[in-house]
Amino acid sequence: MTDKTPCALNLTRNDNILEAAFAGDWVLETEVPAIETVLAQLGDDKNIKQLVFSTKQLGRWDSLLMIELINLINYAKKQGIPIDTTSLPEGIQGLLSLVYAVPEQTGVRRKQTQDSWLAIIGNAGLNLFKDAQAIIIFIGEIALCLLGLVRRKTSFRLVDFWLHTQESGPSALPIISLISLLVGLILAFVGAVQLSLFGAEIYIADMVGLGMTREMGGLMAGVIMTGRTGSAYAAQLGTMQVNNEIDALKTMGFEPMSFLVLPRLLALICMLPLLCLYADLVGIVGGALVSVSFFDISFAQYLDRTAAAIHLKDLAIGVSKCSVYGVLIALSGCLRGMQCGRSASAVGDAATSAVVTGILFIVVSDSVMTLICNRLGI
Amino acid sequence: MTSPCLAIKDMTLAYGELVIQQNLNFTINRGDIFIIMGVSGCGKSTLLMSLIGLLKPIKGDVLYGEESLWQAEPEARQQLLRRTGVLFQSGALLSSMTLFENVALPITEHTQLNAERTRQLVAYKLALVGLSEFEDYYPNELSGGMQKRAGLARAMALDPEILFFDEPSAGLDPVSAKLLDDLIRSLRDHLGATIVMVTHELASIFAIGNNSVFLDTETKTMIATGSPKQLLAESKDPKVIRFLTRDNADNLQTSDPKIKQGTTYEQTR
């Protein structure tokens, strides 16, 4: 960079005319002479009839000069001092005329308001209410679509359904295997520490078997699918919303609910119980690995114990819970996607919100169902 | 003022094996409003990407003044690119930030200015494009024309020497497009910046362009260069004339596989 000559602003009085002379290089990131003192000088004297500028000594300049000039002009305007800009270079005059051009729209500036905490709580409550309303409407629309499907009146495409089945079923197997195996291992280790106190390591099989089938298998499958598929649904539908694709579908006579939402919903609802069964199985294998390799239990013994511990009703409870999760995950994913705004950040918000809502739904519904099972004694 | 500002030297652009444009040689002078024109899919935007450091040409170079863009080390290249500002087709404002934050972003990132000075600078830039009251708005609350002007304010934030525009008037009504053209011209006049514009909007080309290059799809190279008005009056090339007189309908309907290929590639990129 070339050397800068320091910038200066000199004021001279000729009778009632004040001349502000800019000198040196006025480029960004240089120290500027305190403009406040200049402004103060202006304010003290009521006899100034005109403010003129001189740029004979001005070197290079950029936005810095413009900012200071605008500050000066705004101040002079406030004091009611007439300004003569004709002595400025043409370029600066042109820029000033752009800055002071009357905009097409005025009076649209946002007022910075700080809501009181009462208003914030109230708004949050209203939003919650609206959200609940939206969920109910969404469920209603889905019910209508399902009715249409039964009557064969909707634009449901089977090929989409198979595509999403592949996506939310077999494609998820690797991650489900890994997580379930590890959860099985963890359950076995956690139990073994306590059970070995009584020399009852054989009951690791009961613990892992019951734990996986009744609770953890379904829960893990649900959480994984929320993060993997629920968020993907929200992002896909949200991006379609941003690109006007959903509007396009509507104009072509497709009902987005049955065309986009229904295949995803049904695919996930069909796949999640199967994934749950698979997760149960892999978790039990994980428990077996721990028992066989760290405790003196043979594989056959472990399987025998597991078979004795798990009843069909445990399996049925786990799988039916997981079916419920399937509905909830698909609902939250599709709902947030369809609600998405029309910007890139809105898509991110939709995906985040889908995961948060999904996991919240899963955990709450799980607690409720566990409580019911407990009361019913099953 | 006819010192070269940007020189394109023997450049070939390609995506993988697919050559888009080759043997490009032209210079852009300081203070020009330079138009890159051609039919859809001819590689205008691709050329622009290589000028602003987003796509490395497979052959040739871009000179900013005397300095090479593509031979430079990445850091030196970033330094060169700080002398430029780019307005993308859709404005490319960050949707999670207000207009103020969008324009302030390059300022706070690349300068040491304090908060008050930054605020004044942003206010000045937004006033230049006529959006001074919209500081607290998010991009999706604005019309397309306003988004473009806000994008322009951000592109100008650091007083660039060269401003690049990708289809500035695309999607704008004639009145907004005219306003934007006027704004671009007055910024060139008052700031002394060089403007490089990719466009096929004939009204803009003739209204503000004072130099241009015409890219062709079939020969994959430039087939004309000069001021648009002069090209219209003097060019013998039927493609150029067809383009500049708006009679390019039959060109688009051609079954020439190369054109088809070029277009689909643009779309699937």
Side-chain angles (χ1 to χ4, degrees), chain B residues 214-227:
Chain B
F214 188 96
L215 304 183
D216 179 46
T217 319
E218 278 161 15
T219 55
K220 291 184 193 267
T221 188
M222 46 191 272
I223 53 173
T225 174
S227 116

Side-chain angles (χ1 to χ4, degrees), chain A residues 34-272:
Chain A
I35 208 104
E36 286 75 19
T37 55
V38 179
L39 292 176
Q41 231 175 316
L42 265 177
D44 290 338
D45 196 336
K46 300 288 178 210
N47 294 326
I48 299 170
K49 291 275 177 284
Q50 197 169 33
L51 175 64
V52 295
F53 300 97
S54 155
T55 52
K56 288 192 188 84
Q57 320 248 263
L58 183 64
R60 294 180 298 132
W61 58 273
D62 65 8
S63 299
L64 179 74
L65 179 73
M66 295 305 298
I67 295 175
E68 295 301 350
L69 212 51
I70 290 169
N71 283 344
L72 207 58
I73 291 174
N74 285 345
Y75 188 81
K77 274 187 177 169
K78 214 186 276 174
Q79 301 291 324
I81 302 166
I83 305 143
D84 180 17
T85 56
T86 46
S87 53
L88 288 169
E90 229 172 85
I92 297 179
Q93 280 188 44
L95 288 173
L96 282 178
S97 69
L98 278 179
V99 168
Y100 287 105
V102 182
E104 311 145 53
Q105 276 175 288
T106 50
V108 289
R109 190 181 288 279
R110 293 257 160 95
K111 286 195 192 80
Q112 293 284 357
T113 49
Q114 187 72 47
D115 287 342
S116 69
W117 60 269
L118 211 60
I120 293 173
I121 294 176
N123 279 332
L126 283 179
N127 281 339
L128 211 64
F129 179 70
K130 272 186 204 151
D131 216 30
Q133 228 174 8
I135 292 176
I136 292 169
I137 292 173
F138 194 70
I139 293 173
E141 281 178 8
I142 287 172
L144 287 179
C145 281
L146 279 173
L147 208 67
L149 183 64
V150 176
R151 290 184 182 163
R152 301 188 173 278
K153 274 184 181 168
T154 55
S155 41
F156 180 81
R157 292 205 313 168
L158 208 59
V159 59
D160 280 345
F161 171 74
W162 289 123
L163 194 75
H164 292 299
T165 306
Q166 167 74 25
E167 264 304 297
S168 57
S171 307
L173 286 180
I175 181 78
I176 298 266
S177 311
L178 181 71
I179 305 274
S180 307
L181 189 79
L182 294 179
V183 169
L185 285 175
I186 294 166
L187 274 183
F189 270 119
V190 170
V193 174
Q194 307 301 324
L195 291 170
S196 59
L197 291 176
F198 310 105
E201 290 95 336
I202 185 68
Y203 291 109
I204 293 174
D206 292 55
M207 204 179 137
V208 174
L210 283 176
M212 284 311 290
T213 49
R214 285 187 76 114
E215 278 299 329
M216 293 309 282
L219 203 58
M220 280 298 133
V223 170
I224 293 167
M225 294 312 281
T226 315
R228 193 183 170 280
T229 308
S231 61
Y233 285 177
Q236 285 165 1
L237 295 176
T239 313
M240 293 181 85
Q241 194 78 264
V242 172
N243 291 339
N244 290 36
E245 289 172 48
I246 291 183
D247 297 341
L249 283 175
K250 279 184 192 159
T251 59
M252 288 188 285
F254 291 101
E255 178 55 49
M257 285 305 270
S258 49
F259 190 76
L260 296 172
V261 175
L262 216 52
R264 289 178 165 79
L265 204 74
L266 292 179
L268 199 59
I269 292 172
C270 293
M271 281 301 109
L272 213 58

Side-chain angles (χ1 to χ4, degrees), chain A residues 28-30 32 35 61-64 66-68 70-71 90-100 103-112 342-346, chain B residues 82 95-96 110-113 117 120-122 124-125 127-138 140-141 146 149 156-159 179 183 186-187 189-191:
Chain A
L28 284 172
E29 293 191 90
T30 45
V32 179
I35 208 104
W61 58 273
D62 65 8
S63 299
L64 179 74
M66 295 305 298
I67 295 175
E68 295 301 350
I70 290 169
N71 283 344
E90 229 172 85
I92 297 179
Q93 280 188 44
L95 288 173
L96 282 178
S97 69
L98 278 179
V99 168
Y100 287 105
E104 311 145 53
Q105 276 175 288
T106 50
V108 289
R109 190 181 288 279
R110 293 257 160 95
K111 286 195 192 80
Q112 293 284 357
R342 290 185 185 264
S343 68
S345 57
Chain B
R82 277 193 50 190
S95 58
S96 57
H110 291 306
T111 68
Q112 309 292 325
L113 298 180
R117 187 56 28 126
Q120 290 174 343
L121 189 55
V122 173
Y124 161 56
K125 298 290 172 181
L128 272 186
V129 297
L131 289 175
S132 40
E133 297 201 353
F134 290 88
E135 283 184 3
D136 297 320
Y137 281 62
Y138 285 91
N140 59 358
E141 298 173 307
M146 288 167 144
R149 280 186 280 147
M156 298 188 307
L158 293 171
D159 294 318
L179 280 176
L183 183 61
S186 53
L187 288 175
D189 292 346
H190 306 321
L191 288 172

